[in-house]
Amino acid sequence: MTKSEILKQLVTDPHIKEILEIIQSLQLNDSWLCAGTIRNYIWNVLTDKLAFDEETDVDVIFYDPAISYEETLILEKRLQTDYPQYKWELKNQVYMHVHSPETQPYTDSRDAMSKYPERCTAVGLRLTNQGEEFYCPYGWEEIFQMEVHPTPHFRNNPQRLQLYQTRQLKKRWQDKWQNLKIFSE
């Protein structure tokens, strides 16, 4: 299957379509379905697994200084209650920089995604009035080659690089995707 065929399958998948429509209905500023939801879908297709994997978190981000951390938790709980078939994780990127040592506040959701630990995790998808929009600041090649590399933001700081390396051990992705290649730097 080619990259374009997989991406077409992704945006037409009934679960992904429903999730994108739910996200759009929330009318959150700068909102995206992102990270492991997209990456795992692609890796599952590449390894002949069920494409939409109910074990995978549904990672949704948005950027809105007017919505507090507490209000974000309430919205996440509402998603979990209203749509329990999905494992929702809703994060307002206004507050998420604190989880990454020596990181300035993010300026928007794209800035936040570009500073995720792994390049293959820095990917987002959303619905717009013109259709689907992807954001993949480091390109698709590593995702489709099943390679895991740190983003420049993590690679260029010893504390963050250590977090990246610890995360790789904790995630144990190679247990699920045996042909995955993980690079420590």
Side-chain angles (χ1 to χ4, degrees), residues 165-178:
Q165 292 165 342
T166 301
R167 179 175 152 89
Q168 299 318 304
L169 294 172
K170 180 181 168 192
K171 289 290 186 177
R172 303 177 55 94
W173 288 333
Q174 287 177 315
D175 291 351
K176 184 169 184 175
W177 300 285
Q178 290 78 26

Side-chain angles (χ1 to χ4, degrees), residues 110-122:
R110 285 185 174 105
D111 181 38
M113 281 186 271
S114 74
K115 292 176 180 152
Y116 283 174
E118 306 88 18
R119 293 165 58 109
C120 62
T121 304

Side-chain angles (χ1 to χ4, degrees), residues 14-182:
H15 294 287
I16 299 296
K17 282 183 70 143
E18 179 180 36
I19 290 165
L20 289 170
E21 290 166 1
I22 291 166
I23 294 168
Q24 190 176 44
S25 75
L26 297 172
Q27 298 183 340
L28 295 169
N29 186 51
D30 196 11
S31 59
W32 296 82
L33 175 63
C34 66
T37 309
I38 308 298
R39 180 203 60 224
N40 292 3
Y41 188 99
I42 293 168
W43 286 352
N44 284 342
V45 171
L46 292 172
T47 56
D48 297 321
K49 295 180 181 358
L50 184 62
F52 184 81
D53 165 355
E54 293 180 6
E55 295 173 22
T56 296
D57 293 334
V58 174
D59 297 308
V60 180
I61 64 170
F62 68 101
Y63 188 92
D64 192 341
I67 297 179
S68 72
Y69 184 82
E70 293 74 20
E71 290 169 310
T72 302
L73 292 175
I74 292 167
L75 284 170
E76 181 182 59
K77 189 65 174 163
R78 190 176 92 210
L79 281 170
Q80 293 166 346
T81 300
D82 292 350
Y83 307 99
Q85 67 273 33
Y86 301 119
K87 292 176 62 176
W88 296 98
E89 288 208 3
L90 179 69
K91 304 293 183 208
N92 187 346
Q93 298 305 291
V94 169
Y95 309 106
M96 296 307 293
H97 69 282
V98 299
H99 298 285
S100 182
E102 298 178 24
T103 298
Q104 295 298 311
Y106 302 131
T107 57
D108 58 24
S109 289
R110 285 185 174 105
D111 181 38
M113 281 186 271
S114 74
K115 292 176 180 152
Y116 283 174
E118 306 88 18
R119 293 165 58 109
C120 62
T121 304
V123 61
L125 169 63
R126 68 178 171 184
L127 290 179
T128 68
N129 292 337
Q130 292 76 39
E132 300 88 13
E133 177 184 1
F134 280 103
Y135 178 68
C136 192
Y138 303 107
W140 294 100
E141 187 174 324
E142 292 173 9
I143 298 171
F144 281 88
Q145 290 182 352
M146 298 191 70
E147 292 183 2
V148 180
H149 297 268
T151 60
H153 183 71
F154 272 73
R155 187 181 60 243
N156 297 332
N157 176 286
Q159 285 180 284
R160 290 191 296 259
L161 185 58
Q162 181 61 51
L163 281 176
Y164 162 84
Q165 292 165 342
T166 301
R167 179 175 152 89
Q168 299 318 304
L169 294 172
K170 180 181 168 192
K171 289 290 186 177
R172 303 177 55 94
W173 288 333
Q174 287 177 315
D175 291 351
K176 184 169 184 175
W177 300 285
Q178 290 78 26
N179 53 342
L180 193 64
K181 298 174 276 310
I182 298 176

